[in-house]
Amino acid sequence: MRQSKAASNASTSKVQAMGAFAVIFDAEANVLLCHRTDRDAWNLPGGKVEAGEAPWEAAVREVHEEIGLHVRVRVNPS
């Protein structure tokens, strides 16, 4: 029995994950970057949004997990 094209695509499609990252400024408007030792790269603190979690909640959680800061999300930093 042959699969339909839609069924075939569904079985081979990848599950997409959402990421959330934080841009954290200091008093001089410098941006905080984290060093990833697994890839030897610098990036913003953040990571994967878990099921049932809002992106802003994930950003707050990831910042705490990665660098130990307690932050809050601000829509307009002015």
Side-chain angles (χ1 to χ4, degrees):
M1 191 167 172
R2 188 171 178 190
Q3 278 186 317
S4 71
K5 187 174 182 177
S8 176
N9 287 343
S11 64
T12 60
S13 66
K14 294 182 181 179
V15 174
Q16 294 185 1
M18 185 185 324
F21 295 84
V23 180
I24 301 171
F25 297 96
D26 68 7
E28 288 82 36
N30 296 304
V31 176
L32 175 70
L33 296 176
C34 297
H35 184 245
R36 288 188 60 158
T37 56
D38 60 336
R39 295 185 184 169
D40 193 27
W42 292 89
N43 67 344
L44 298 169
K48 182 181 174 189
V49 178
E50 302 293 337
E53 185 176 45
W56 53 89
E57 293 169 333
V60 169
R61 176 183 51 76
E62 287 285 347
V63 166
H64 185 257
E65 288 177 1
E66 291 182 9
I67 57 179
L69 291 178
H70 295 279
V71 297
R72 62 186 170 91
V73 174
R74 290 177 49 183
V75 176
N76 184 358
S78 57

